[in-house]
C-alpha cells in the first residue's frame, strides 16, 4: 500500500495574547497509507484537533510539513474534506441543497440530472432518503452529522478528516453512525483520520490509533495497530481477544498522561531539611497486601519521624505505572516486584537500561497460583491434572494471567509450570493484566487462572471463582516479594534521604511482622487510600492445622528477610534471561553490585539498632530441588531443559551517575 | 346558544365552538385587556379636557370640531398647494422616507459588509460610526440645509443619515458573526469570493441585516416628522402638524399624531413580517 499522507517533524506554535508562545505540538511524524483509518486520541488540549486542522490545511504548521499525495499542504481543499464536530451545515439550505452546494463548488459543470443523481446517491448512502427536503434544524444531531458525512463523501475526497464527529451525539445514534461510517469506509476504500476522545470508538473504527501526549509540546506517545479483522461489528468486536488489551493500553496511556499532568501542576522543588537532601517524596505503590509497610509508615508517622516530612503515597493501578513513574521521574521511589530492579537495569522495559537500586526487601511470600473454578469442576485439583487437562483440551487457547513480566508471579509461575512439564509459552499463554481485570476475566472464563499476590488470590477463593492449586510456600518458601526501588542516579543524589527512607520502612516492616498488629493492618489497608476492599479479604497469616492464626504467610521482618540479596537478584536475572525477557548480562557481577544497595541497608539497620536483621539468607531452595549455583549462572541456564532462546550480552549501564537538577 | 328545538341540541352544546366563537375564545384575552387599557386612557384624557384640567382638546374633539371631522373622514381631497387630505400628506412623507431609507439601506449594507469583512477598515471607521450615530435627527437638519440649500433633498438626507447607522452596524456585526464553521466549510470547498458572498455571507448575515432594517424604519419615520416640522413649505404630515399648531387647531394636531403613530406601527409590523418571512430558516 502506498502512503497518502506524510506528516514530517510537525510543530505548531501559537502566539499568546500576553506575548510569548504556546508550543502545542512538536516533532510529530506520521505516515498514513491509502485506505487506512487512523484515530488521534489524547486528553483535551493535547493538540489532536490542531494536528487534524494542519492536515486539512485549515491551520498551517510553524515547523515541518504535511504532504498529501506528495504535495505540501498549504491551504484547505476539497481533496481533504473535513467533517466537523458541530456538523457545519448551512441552516438556510435543505439537506439536498447543502450537499448540492458542495458538489457545485467542487465539481462544476455537472448537468442538472447528474448532480441530482449524485445528491440522491449520497443521501441514500447515509440512509436519509426521506429527509432530503428538510432543513437541518428539523433533524436530530445524528441525522445532521449524517448529512455532513454525505456532503463530505459526495465530493469524493482523497482523505476524510473527522473532528470528533460523534462527540455531541447520544450513545444510540453514535453507535449506529459508527457502524454506518465503518461500512462506508470499507465499501469506498476511504482513507480517514478521526479525532476522538472515545476509547471504544477508536478501537472499533481504526486500523491504527495514534496516542498524543499532553501539551505543551505534545508528541506521539504511541501508535497501536488494531489487529481486529474487518468487517467489524460493534457488538462482536468486544469479544476479540485484542479488544480489551488495546482498550486497557489506551486507558493506561490516558491515565498516565493525566498523572503526569497532575504532577506537573504541583510545584516540584527539592526541599532539603533536617540534614536530608530531599524530604518531599512521591512514593509509588500498587494496592496489594504487601504495601502494608508503606501504609504503616504513613499512618504511624514513621516517614516524618525520620525527617521525611512530605511523603506522598501515589497509588498506581499496575506495575507498569511504577516503571513509567520512575522513568519520567514523577516518582522518587516505589514499592516494586523484586525482579524489577534487575529488569530495568538490564533494559527489560525495552529502552535504554536504567540502573535501579534496591536497599530493602519489603516483603516475602504472599503469592499463589489460582485456577478457575470451572477447572476444579472438571476434575483439575493439582498440577498433574492440569497438565492432563491441557493435553486433552489442546485446541482451546489457555491463558494464565500475570501482573508484570518482572514480577515474582511471572517467574514463579513459569518455574512451576516448566518444572511440572508444562511449557509456559507453548502449552499455555501468559498474559499481563492489571489485578482487578484478572478477577473479572477469571469469572467470565477468558483465563484459566493466574499467579498473583494477596489479597487478590484470597478474594478469588473467597468469592468462589477459583482455587489455589499451588501456594508460594509450596514453590519457594520465603521467596522475595516486593522491594523498595529507586533510580541509581536518585540514590546517589540523595544518599541521606535514601537511608532515612529505608529506616522508616524497615521500622514499618517490623511493625507489620507482629501478629498482634494484623487485625489493625487489615483495617488500615481496607481504606480507600490503599486497597479499598473489605478488610475480611485482607489477611497476613497462614491458617495452620490447629487453627492458630499467628503463623505468618507474608514475611515483613526478620533475620535475612529485609537485606537485599545478591544471590536472589542473580536468580531473578537468570530466570528473566531464561524466558528471554532480558539478555543475560555478561557483566552480572557489576550489575548485582549496583542493584543491591547493601551499604544503605546496613547503615539504616545499624542506626535503628536492628542488628539481627543483617544476616544473609541461606541458599536458594525451590520445590523441585534443582540446585542454583551462584558461581555459574550461565551453566545453570544451559542446564535447564525448558527455556526460550536466551542470549548473553554486556549490558551498557555506564558509570554511576548522579541525578542533576 | 341554540334554542332547544331538536333533540340533539344537548349534544350540540357540548361540541367545541367553531368559526367566530372559536376565534373569540382563543383571542378573548388579547382583545379585552387592550380595550380596557385604551378605553381607560381615552376616558381619562377626555375627562381632563372636559373638566378644563388641560388646554389640550379631548379625543371627542375629533368629531365635535367640524374642520377636524372633515379631515378625519375625507383623507383624500386635494385642493391644490398644501391644502390636501391627510392621506396625501402621509404619502408625501412616506415617499420621502422611502427614498432616504432605500439609500440608507443600500449604503448601510454595502459599507457594513466592507467593515465586517475588513478588520483594518473596521478599526478605522468604527469610532466615527459610533460617534455619528449618537447625533439626534434634529441636529442634522441645519447641516442638511447648509449642505443642500434645498428642503427636499435636505429632508431626504436627514432620513438617510438617521436611519443608516443601525443598518450599517448590524450588517457589520452580522458579517463578523458568521460562524467559523461556515467559513471553514467555504475554505475546505475552496468557494470563490462570489460564491461565498451569495451563498454564505448574505444568508448568514441576513437576520442581523433585517434587525438593522427594522430598527431603522422606525428611526426614519421619527426623523421625517422632525425634518418636515422645521422645513415648512413642503407637503407632509410633519408640515400638517406644524401648520395646525401655527393656527391653534389643537384637534387637528391630535389627528395628525394619530396618523403618525398608526403609520409607524404599520411600518414596524411590516418589517417584522418581512423579517420572519425571509430569515425564518435561521
Amino acid at each position: 500500500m502506498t502512503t497518502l499522507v506524510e506528516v514530517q517533524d510537525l510543530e505548531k506554535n501559537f502566539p499568546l495574547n500576553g506575548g510569548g508562545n504556546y508550543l502545542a505540538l512538536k516533532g510529530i511524524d506520521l505516515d498514513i497509507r491509502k485506505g487506512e483509518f487512523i484515530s488521534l486520541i489524547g486528553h483535551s488540549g493535547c493538540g489532536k484537533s490542531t494536528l487534524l486542522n494542519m492536515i486539512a490545511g485549515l491551520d498551517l504548521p510553524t515547523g515541518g510539513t504535511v504532504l498529501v499525495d506528495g504535495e505540501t499542504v498549504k491551504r484547505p481543499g476539497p481533496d481533504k474534506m473535513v467533517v466537523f464536530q458541530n456538523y457545519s451545515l448551512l441552516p438556510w439550505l435543505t439537506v439536498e441543497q447543502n450537499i448540492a452546494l458542495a458538489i457545485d463548488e467542487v465539481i462544476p459543470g455537472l448537468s442538472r440530472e447528474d448532480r441530482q443523481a449524485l445528491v440522491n446517491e449520497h443521501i441514500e448512502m447515509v440512509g436519509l432518503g426521506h429527509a432530503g427536503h428538510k432543513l437541518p434544524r428539523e433533524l436530530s444531531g445524528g441525522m445532521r452529522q449524517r448529512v455532513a458525512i454525505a456532503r463530505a463523501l459526495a465530493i469524493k475526497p482523497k482523505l476524510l478528516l473527522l473532528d470528533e464527529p460523534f462527540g455531541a451525539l447520544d450513545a444510540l445514534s453514535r453507535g449506529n453512525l459508527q457502524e454506518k461510517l465503518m461500512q462506508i469506509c470499507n465499501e469506498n476504500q476511504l482513507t480517514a483520520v478521526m479525532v476522538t476522545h472515545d476509547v471504544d470508538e477508536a478501537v472499533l473504527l481504526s486500523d491504527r490509533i495514534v496516542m498524543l501526549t499532553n501539551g505543551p509540546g505534545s508528541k506521539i506517545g504511541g501508535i497501536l495497530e488494531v489487529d481486529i479483522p474487518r468487517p467489524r461489528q460493534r457488538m462482536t468486536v468486544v469479544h476479540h481477544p485484542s479488544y480489551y488489551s488495546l482498550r486497557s493500553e489506551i486507558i493506561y496511556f490516558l491515565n498516565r498522561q493525566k498523572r503526569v499532568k497532575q504532577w506537573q501542576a504541583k510545584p516540584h522543588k527539592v526541599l532539603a531539611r533536617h540534614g536530608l537532601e530531599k524530604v518531599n517524596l512521591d512514593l509509588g505503590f500498587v494496592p496489594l497486601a504487601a504495601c502494608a509497610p508503606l501504609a504503616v509508615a504513613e499512618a504511624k508517622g514513621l516517614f516524618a519521624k525520620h525527617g521525611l516530612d512530605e511523603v506522598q503515597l501515589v497509588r498506581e493501578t499496575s506495575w507498569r505505572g511504577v516503571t513509567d513513574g520512575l522513568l519520567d521521574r514523577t516518582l522518587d521511589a516505589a514499592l516494586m516486584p523484586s525482579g524489577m530492579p534487575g529488569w530495568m537495569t538490564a533494559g527489560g522495559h525495552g529502552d535504554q537500561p536504567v540502573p535501579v537500586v534496591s536497599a530493602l526487601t519489603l516483603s516475602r511470600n504472599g503469592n499463589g497460583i489460582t485456577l478457575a473454578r470451572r477447572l476444579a469442576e472438571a476434575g483439575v485439583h493439582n498440577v498433574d491434572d492440569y497438565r492432563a487437562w491441557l493435553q486433552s483440551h489442546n485446541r482451546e487457547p489457555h491463558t494464565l494471567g500475570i501482573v508484570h513480566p518482572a514480577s515474582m508471579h511471572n517467574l514463579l509461575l513459569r518455574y512451576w509450570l516448566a518444572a511440572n512439564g508444562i511449557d509456559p509459552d507453548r502449552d499455555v499463554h501468559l498474559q499481563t493484566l492489571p489485578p482487578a481485570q484478572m478477577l473479572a476475566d477469571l469469572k467470565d472464563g477468558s483465563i484459566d487462572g493466574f499467579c498473583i499476590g494477596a489479597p487478590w488470590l484470597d478474594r478469588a477463593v473467597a468469592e468462589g471463582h477459583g482455587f489455589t492449586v499451588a501456594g508460594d510456600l509450596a514453590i519457594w518458601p520465603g521467596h522475595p516479594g516486593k522491594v523498595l526501588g529507586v533510580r541509581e542516579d536518585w540514590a546517589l543524589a540523595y544518599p541521606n534521604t535514601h537511608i532515612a527512607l529505608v529506616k522508616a520502612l524497615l521500622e514499618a516492616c517490623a511493625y507489620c511482622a507482629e501478629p498482634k498488629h494484623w487485625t489493625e493492618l487489615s483495617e488500615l489497608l481496607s481504606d480507600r487510600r490503599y486497597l479499598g476492599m473489605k478488610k475480611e479479604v485482607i489477611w497476613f497469616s497462614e491458617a495452620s492445622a490447629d487453627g492458630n492464626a499467628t503463623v505468618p504467610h507474608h514475611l515483613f521482618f526478620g533475620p535475612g528477610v529485609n537485606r537485599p540479596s545478591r544471590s536472589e537478584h542473580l536468580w531473578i536475572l537468570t530466570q528473566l534471561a531464561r524466558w528471554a525477557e532480558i539478555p543475560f548480562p555478561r557483566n552480572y557481577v557489576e550489575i548485582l553490585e549496583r542493584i543491591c544497595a547493601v551499604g544503605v541497608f546496613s547503615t539504616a539497620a545499624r542506626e535503628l539498632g536492628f542488628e539481627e536483621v543483617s544476616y544473609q539468607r541461606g541458599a536458594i531452595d525451590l520445590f523441585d530441588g534443582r540446585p542454583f549455583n551462584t558461581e555459574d549462572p550461565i551453566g545453570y541456564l544451559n542446564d535447564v531443559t525448558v527455556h526460550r532462546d536466551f542470549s548473553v550480552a554486556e549490558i551498557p549501564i555506564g558509570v554511576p551517575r548522579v541525578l542533576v537538577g | 346558544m341554540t334554542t332547544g328545538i331538536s333533540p340533539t341540541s344537548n349534544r350540540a352544546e357540548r361540541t367545541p365552538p367553531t368559526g367566530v366563537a372559536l376565534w373569540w375564545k382563543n383571542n378573548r384575552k388579547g382583545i379585552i385587556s387592550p380595550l380596557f387599557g385604551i378605553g381607560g386612557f381615552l376616558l381619562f384624557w377626555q375627562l381632563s379636557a372636559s373638566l378644563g384640567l388641560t388646554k389640550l382638546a379631548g379625543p371627542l374633539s375629533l368629531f365635535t370640531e367640524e374642520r377636524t371631522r372633515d379631515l378625519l373622514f375625507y383623507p383624500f381631497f386635494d385642493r391644490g398647494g398644501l391644502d390636501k387630505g391627510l392621506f396625501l400628506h402621509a404619502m408625501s412623507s412616506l415617499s420621502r422616507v422611502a427614498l432616504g431609507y432605500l439609500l440608507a439601506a443600500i449604503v448601510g449594507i454595502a459599507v457594513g459588509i466592507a467593515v465586517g469583512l475588513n478588520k483594518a477598515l473596521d478599526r478605522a471607521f468604527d469610532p466615527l460610526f459610533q460617534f455619528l450615530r449618537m447625533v439626534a435627527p434634529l441636529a442634522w437638519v441645519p447641516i442638511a440645509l447648509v449642505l443642500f440649500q434645498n428642503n427636499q433633498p435636505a429632508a431626504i438626507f436627514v432620513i438617510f443619515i438617521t436611519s443608516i447607522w443601525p443598518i450599517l452596524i448590524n450588517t457589520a456585526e452580522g458579517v463578523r458573526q458568521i460562524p467559523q464553521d461556515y467559513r471553514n466549510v467555504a475554505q475546505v470547498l475552496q468557494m470563490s469570493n462570489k460564491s461565498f458572498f451569495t451563498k454564505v455571507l448574505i444568508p448568514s448575515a441576513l437576520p442581523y441585516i433585517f434587525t438593522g432594517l427594522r430598527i431603522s424604519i422606525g428611526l426614519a419615520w421619527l426623523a421625517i416628522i422632525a425634518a418636515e416640522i422645521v422645513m415648512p413649505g413642503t407637503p407632509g404630515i410633519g408640515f400638517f402638524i406644524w401648520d395646525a399648531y401655527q393656527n391653534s387647531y389643537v384637534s387637528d394636531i391630535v389627528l395628525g399624531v394619530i396618523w403618525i403613530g398608526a403609520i409607524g406601527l404599520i411600518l414596524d409590523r411590516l418589517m417584522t413580517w418581512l423579517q420572519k418571512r425571509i430569515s425564518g430558516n435561521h
Side-chain angles (χ1 to χ4, degrees), chain A residues 200 233-241 243-244:
Chain A
D200 295 286
Q233 225 105 56
R234 200 159 48 91
M235 302 313 279
T236 54
V237 85
V238 296
H239 300 302
H240 192 275
Y243 188 81
Y244 276 103

Side-chain angles (χ1 to χ4, degrees), chain A residues 58 75-78 81 84 86 88-92 101 105-106 135 137 151, chain B residues 181-182 184-185 187-192 195 199-201 203-204 280-282:
Chain A
L58 286 167
R75 57 182 194 139
M81 186 63 191
F84 300 95
N86 41 14
S88 299
L89 300 174
L90 301 181
W92 53 87
L101 173 79
E105 294 301 321
V106 178
L135 288 167
R137 70 181 145 87
R151 176 178 66 182
Chain B
D181 300 337
Y182 304 169
N184 284 344
V185 169
Q187 272 192 302
V188 169
L189 294 175
Q190 286 182 355
M191 279 189 172
S192 63
S195 278
K199 292 179 180 174
V200 177
L201 187 144
S204 177
N281 293 344
H282 282 269

Side-chain angles (χ1 to χ4, degrees), chain A residues 589-654:
Chain A
V589 178
E590 183 204 353
I591 284 186
L592 291 173
E593 219 30 71
R594 302 257 295 258
I595 290 176
C596 298
V598 180
V600 173
F601 173 81
S602 302
T603 309
R606 193 171 54 245
E607 288 180 6
L608 286 171
F610 288 154
E611 300 291 345
E612 78 278 12
V613 297
S614 300
Y615 297 118
Q616 242 175 324
R617 285 188 76 77
I620 290 170
D621 191 13
L622 276 85
F623 73 101
D624 61 342
R626 178 188 288 277
F628 179 69
N629 180 4
T630 52
E631 299 300 312
D632 185 17
I634 296 174
Y636 172 89
L637 274 176
N638 285 325
D639 201 34
V640 286
T641 43
V642 185
H643 60 78
R644 301 283 80 80
D645 293 332
F646 62 87
S647 56
V648 179
E650 180 87 14
I651 306 289
I653 55 171

Side-chain angles (χ1 to χ4, degrees), chain A residues 349-401:
Chain A
H349 54 286
D351 210 338
Q352 285 297 96
V354 174
V356 169
V357 308
S358 174
L360 179 66
T361 302
L362 285 160
S363 75
R364 291 175 181 271
N365 299 338
N367 299 317
I369 299 167
T370 308
L371 289 181
R373 192 178 60 183
R374 66 189 159 85
L375 292 176
E377 285 162 359
V380 177
H381 300 295
N382 56 40
V383 68
D384 298 317
D385 298 341
Y386 187 52
R387 189 173 51 242
W389 160 269
L390 288 175
Q391 277 158 4
S392 61
H393 292 77
N394 60 358
R395 287 166 182 278
E396 300 161 23
H398 292 281
T399 304
L400 294 170

